[in-house]
Amino acid sequence: MQSENRIAAFEQACVRSALIIPRWLPGSTSVFWYRREVSNDKFVFFLVDCDQGHRSLAFDHEKLASKLSQDGPLLQPDALPFSWIDIERSAECIRFKYQDKIWKFSQDGSLTEWEGNFYEGHFDPGCEELASPRSRESAAITLVNQTTKPIDIKWISNDGEARFWGPLQAGRSRVIGSWLHHFWRLELYKSVPRRSVAFQVKSRRFTVVIENSPLGLSLSCQSDPLVESELDKVSGQSRGPRGEPFLRSGNVWVRQPDGSENQVSFHGFSDNEFKDVYPSPDGQFAISMQCKPASKASLHLIDVMPQDQFPPKLMTEEYLRAGDNVELKRPCLFNLATRAEIPVDNSLFANPYAITSIGWSSDSQKYYFIFNERGHQHLRLLEINRKGTVKILVEEKSDTFVDHHQKTYFKLLLSTNEFLWASERDNWNHIYLFDLDDGKLKHQITKGEWNVRAIDFVDVEKRKLWVHALGVMPGQDPYYTHLVSVNFDGSMLQVITQGDGSHTWHWGPDRRFLIDTWSRVDSLPISTVRDAETGKEVVFLQQEQLSPDLEGEWCPVQRFNAPGRDGKTQIYGIIVYPRDLDETKSYPIIEFIYAGPHDFHTAKAFRPSTAFRTLADKGYIVVRSDGMGTNWRSKRFHDVCYKNVKDAGFPDRMAWIRAAAQSRPFMDLSRVGCYGRRGRRVA
């Protein structure tokens, strides 16, 4: 095998072997097993006891391989013919399936057939693929690929066609925008026969974990409890006899308990009809969105390789261009008992880009919603009371833009009449605590020159939250992800994850322990079990190692940071050398660029760098960095992109390349080129 192929295979194997999927024993919050791949098609099973701080082989692999080989083909201890084991809580034996039989292998070495129950793991076959319905409620899906291969993400369109959305690499996660009740397909890349599974978006924040299973792809889908549980409480369940509001011919009607129907609104027309009706829990009031439709605009594309025919064909889709009218929503209030509309002044939510319904308070006195102004310079949490009075509870405003897509977060705490809110008002994305009655700020919970990227968990009773933090560790790359816990009053802020790298983690039952894995582009993955309260390491699990046959051949990707255009703001990037680098020679520089302002794009955790290495081995120095205007640094850093996307961080990236060349004279600044694309083969 050529050296470059062996390096690619090694890096891929590192990602696979570092992937820990804990299988917690039934009824236990401290004991789990996992399967570790040691090389292609070779693996071993480990048993971990977090209370005892112990990791060991789950059973004697050599003895079991010998037992199974007595009446069949020769089996190797690291290539046993099953991928799932069922372990009793006492861990005195394991059970597994082999040759259509269930076997029991005890610690004393005895092997017998098992006639009892056999738990083969959670397997969700997904759902039937259906055309996605027309939906009016946006949703965010977090996809986590815990398989060993890339996943193709495909949206099942309104006409039932599977449309490719993008790839998801092994061991990685990403958030995609969707709509409630839409259908998606997840397909294992280049699998023969095709292995895929479909799911439906069931809530506004939805997490889907994709795993390998003995039966195929396995899905684990759940709503985000941080949001959905509170939304359910806000909207509430209607109590007592009431009318039931519904929509007919673009207007609001109400159906009485006796079956009679009465029209409530009379000014809903085809170009301004009522949609999305939200009744109060007591059934006396309702909010309905009156909507002016968006502009009709068509985008024409040519599919050069259609699946259903040989010649290319024309495709036409609706596509709003800059300046076209978006759908204009306006919440209207109705008294269902008197069948009268209550006037609501829309001056605080005029010209919306989007209005997001939160729901009614449990006492039916107030209705809450989020208003995002077109242009994204005002974002408000608003309430409408039963008299139609509109009040601002909290507002974000900016002379540039409010990052509504990445950084909007809210959580209503009904038991204490408070709410959590994300804001960049101090130049960094942090969480604030507000009073739900008057909208007054009570505390800034997180603070400092770092960002909250996401909320991991909120414990309302303990008044504590856990967040994904970027830049919280001084001296580390500010894009590295860490888990941080903090009390609602801002006290006792603690970094749970340790280690100079970017972290991912899996929670155990009852959130007592977590499996923490971290790495860098220049450091192979390390995994350990931590106490979820203190962050203390309780069990060391594993660390990936360089293959002996690659000593002297594999050179890790280099990290480099230097000031950008202003001479002080640090820009972070990576450098990839040719495998046979000769520092006495001069090499042209090729920069890979994707500078979209929605995220940062330079790799932080270890992952295969095959595409960059292949290019570098042709005689180039390959570089990549994130200049100003990209996301997840300070707001001032991000604001550079405002009405200036063409900037693309070029001044920062040029300064960064020049700084790198000062200590690397083999980088030829007279020969610099760049290219960019989005797709599967990006390193």
Side-chain angles (χ1 to χ4, degrees):
M1 183 186 294
Q2 294 181 352
S3 178
E4 64 181 82
N5 292 335
R6 290 191 292 113
I7 290 174
F10 161 71
E11 292 183 333
Q12 291 283 357
C14 273
V15 172
R16 294 195 302 269
S17 58
L19 190 60
I20 295 178
I21 304 175
R23 310 294 185 178
W24 298 87
L25 270 57
S28 174
T29 62
S30 63
V31 182
F32 68 90
W33 66 267
Y34 72 97
R35 193 181 78 150
R36 172 169 164 79
E37 183 174 320
V38 294
S39 63
N40 285 337
D41 299 322
K42 293 186 177 182
F43 50 86
V44 292
F45 296 86
F46 284 101
L47 185 67
V48 180
D49 189 323
C50 304
D51 283 333
Q52 299 298 320
H54 182 65
R55 185 198 79 151
S56 62
L57 289 174
F59 55 90
D60 190 327
H61 288 59
E62 289 190 3
K63 188 174 290 185
L64 179 56
S66 177
K67 287 275 187 180
L68 293 174
S69 300
Q70 291 177 0
D71 299 318
L74 180 64
L75 299 177
Q76 299 300 318
D78 56 2
L80 294 168
F82 51 85
S83 59
W84 184 274
I85 57 177
D86 187 5
I87 306 182
E88 292 183 344
R89 189 169 182 179
S90 64
E92 294 180 354
C93 67
I94 67 162
R95 292 183 285 268
F96 61 92
K97 182 181 288 187
Y98 175 54
Q99 293 183 340
D100 296 325
K101 295 180 181 179
I102 308 300
W103 299 89
K104 175 183 175 182
F105 181 62
S106 301
Q107 295 290 3
D108 61 9
S110 61
L111 179 66
T112 57
E113 285 193 48
W114 174 254
E115 300 295 338
N117 294 328
F118 176 65
Y119 174 69
E120 200 168 6
H122 170 72
F123 176 72
D124 183 352
C127 64
E128 181 182 358
E129 290 186 13
L130 299 173
S132 292
R134 302 286 175 176
S135 173
R136 304 179 47 75
E137 297 288 345
S138 61
I141 313 168
T142 300
L143 296 176
V144 183
N145 182 3
Q146 292 189 343
T147 74
T148 59
K149 294 183 179 180
I151 293 286
D152 280 343
I153 306 168
K154 297 183 178 181
W155 171 59
I156 310 301
S157 67
N158 305 120
D159 56 12
E161 179 183 352
R163 299 184 181 178
F164 180 71
W165 188 90
L168 177 59
Q169 300 299 326
R172 303 189 68 193
S173 65
R174 69 188 303 177
V175 178
I176 62 176
S178 184
W179 301 91
L180 273 180
H181 313 304
H182 275 206
F183 289 87
W184 292 80
R185 178 197 296 170
L186 304 173
E187 189 173 298
L188 203 61
Y189 179 56
K190 287 188 176 180
S191 59
V192 181
R194 192 188 78 180
R195 298 175 64 188
S196 66
V197 67
F199 69 92
Q200 186 179 25
V201 181
K202 298 177 182 178
S203 62
R204 289 189 226 185
R205 300 215 181 164
F206 197 59
T207 299
V208 179
V209 179
I210 313 105
E211 299 176 356
N212 283 320
S213 162
L215 304 178
L217 287 184
S218 171
L219 283 185
S220 175
C221 305
Q222 65 178 28
S223 301
D224 185 348
L226 311 184
V227 174
E228 296 304 324
S229 59
E230 288 302 319
L231 290 179
D232 292 342
K233 292 177 183 177
V234 172
S235 297
Q237 297 295 324
S238 299
R239 302 185 297 271
R242 61 176 179 84
E244 178 186 357
F246 64 96
L247 299 171
R248 175 183 289 164
S249 301
N251 274 294
V252 180
W253 289 62
V254 62
R255 184 177 295 109
Q256 304 296 347
D258 62 5
S260 61
E261 298 176 346
N262 301 100
Q263 189 169 350
V264 178
S265 74
F266 297 89
H267 53 93
F269 304 99
S270 59
D271 61 347
N272 198 16
E273 61 184 321
F274 284 95
K275 300 178 179 179
D276 308 321
V277 61
Y278 305 100
S280 62
D282 64 7
Q284 296 183 26
F285 290 80
I287 289 284
S288 185
M289 297 292 175
Q290 190 170 21
C291 306
K292 289 185 178 180
S295 300
K296 294 289 186 180
S298 296
L299 175 68
H300 303 289
L301 302 169
I302 295 178
D303 186 347
V304 297
M305 297 181 64
Q307 295 183 355
D308 58 346
Q309 65 183 48
F310 179 76
K313 67 178 179 180
L314 179 67
M315 300 173 58
T316 301
E317 299 180 0
E318 291 185 5
Y319 186 86
L320 293 182
R321 301 156 300 183
D324 286 346
N325 293 328
V326 297
E327 183 183 58
L328 197 64
K329 286 186 179 181
R330 178 186 175 186
C332 298
L333 176 64
F334 297 94
N335 185 323
L336 299 180
T338 62
R339 301 193 294 279
E341 181 175 356
I342 300 170
V344 175
D345 182 1
N346 73 340
S347 58
L348 290 177
F349 51 90
N351 193 27
Y353 175 82
I355 286 181
T356 303
S357 172
I358 298 177
W360 288 86
S361 60
S362 55
D363 62 4
S364 300
Q365 296 299 308
K366 300 171 183 177
Y367 171 80
Y368 305 105
F369 65 101
I370 300 286
F371 163 71
N372 176 18
E373 184 180 54
R374 188 163 192 179
H376 313 303
Q377 292 185 317
H378 291 90
L379 182 75
R380 298 176 180 135
L381 172 61
L382 300 172
E383 72 168 36
I384 303 175
N385 66 19
R386 293 163 70 130
K387 295 181 180 179
T389 302
V390 184
K391 183 171 73 173
I392 298 176
L393 291 174
V394 65
E395 178 180 35
E396 298 301 319
K397 54 186 177 181
S398 173
D399 292 335
T400 54
F401 61 94
V402 177
D403 187 0
H404 71 100
H405 179 64
Q406 294 282 343
K407 296 167 185 167
T408 298
Y409 176 80
F410 62 90
K411 179 177 176 65
L412 304 188
L413 309 172
L414 299 179
S415 58
T416 56
N417 219 33
E418 299 167 308
F419 66 93
L420 301 174
W421 182 260
S423 170
E424 289 186 287
R425 59 185 61 190
D426 73 349
N427 194 39
W428 305 89
N429 194 51
H430 283 299
I431 305 300
Y432 295 76
L433 182 68
F434 288 86
D435 188 288
L436 188 56
D437 273 336
D438 55 22
K440 289 184 177 180
L441 174 65
K442 302 184 74 171
H443 301 290
Q444 180 175 352
I445 297 178
T446 61
K447 62 180 61 177
E449 294 186 357
W450 55 277
N451 286 303
V452 173
R453 179 154 193 174
I455 305 296
D456 191 279
F457 180 71
V458 178
D459 191 322
V460 177
E461 293 183 359
K462 293 182 178 180
R463 295 184 67 78
K464 187 173 183 177
L465 70 155
W466 285 258
V467 303
H468 298 237
L470 300 182
V472 72
M473 295 295 284
Q476 292 189 15
D477 187 313
Y479 297 98
Y480 289 166
T481 302
H482 282 274
L483 177 65
V484 170
S485 64
V486 61
N487 293 331
F488 278 10
D489 63 4
S491 66
M492 299 297 289
L493 186 142
Q494 182 169 355
V495 181
I496 303 299
T497 51
Q498 302 296 321
D500 185 3
S502 199
H503 293 249
T504 59
W505 51 88
H506 295 280
W507 287 98
D510 295 343
R511 307 182 74 83
R512 289 187 59 206
F513 301 100
L514 57 89
I515 293 97
D516 175 23
T517 298
W518 73 100
S519 66
R520 302 192 305 262
V521 292
D522 61 350
S523 181
L524 302 181
I526 303 172
S527 297
T528 190
V529 179
R530 299 192 184 278
D531 182 282
E533 289 290 332
T534 66
K536 179 183 176 181
E537 179 182 299
V538 296
V539 188
F540 180 81
L541 295 179
Q542 60 192 41
Q543 181 173 6
E544 306 310 311
Q545 302 290 338
L546 178 64
S547 300
D549 62 333
L550 289 177
E551 290 284 354
E553 291 190 40
W554 180 76
C555 180
V557 172
Q558 282 198 3
R559 298 179 296 151
F560 181 72
N561 62 283
R565 71 184 75 183
D566 60 3
K568 58 182 179 180
T569 303
Q570 292 294 305
I571 304 300
Y572 292 78
I574 58 174
I575 304 173
V576 182
Y577 297 151
R579 188 172 65 257
D580 56 355
L581 175 71
D582 183 347
E583 295 190 10
T584 66
K585 295 182 178 180
S586 178
Y587 294 86
I589 303 165
I590 294 184
E591 180 190 21
F592 181 90
I593 171 178
Y594 185 75
H598 57 286
D599 208 343
F600 63 90
H601 309 284
T602 302
K604 300 300 171 183
F606 179 83
R607 64 183 187 185
S609 53
T610 306
F612 284 179
R613 290 184 186 278
T614 299
L615 183 58
D617 287 345
K618 296 181 184 297
Y620 302 99
I621 305 296
V622 181
V623 300
R624 187 176 196 181
S625 64
D626 289 292
M628 292 183 184
T630 52
N631 208 349
W632 296 111
R633 295 286 291 276
S634 67
K635 177 165 174 55
R636 284 191 291 270
F637 190 102
H638 198 193
D639 278 349
V640 171
C641 74
Y642 179 64
K643 294 186 177 181
N644 187 34
V645 177
K646 66 180 181 181
D647 178 281
F650 269 105
D652 308 298
R653 300 189 341 264
M654 292 167 64
W656 180 88
I657 291 173
R658 291 190 181 104
Q662 287 181 357
S663 57
R664 298 165 178 82
F666 49 84
M667 294 176 65
D668 186 354
L669 291 176
S670 69
R671 294 183 293 166
V672 182
C674 68
Y675 76 108
R677 67 178 184 273
R678 297 186 69 189
R680 183 188 320 284
R681 297 181 60 195
V682 172

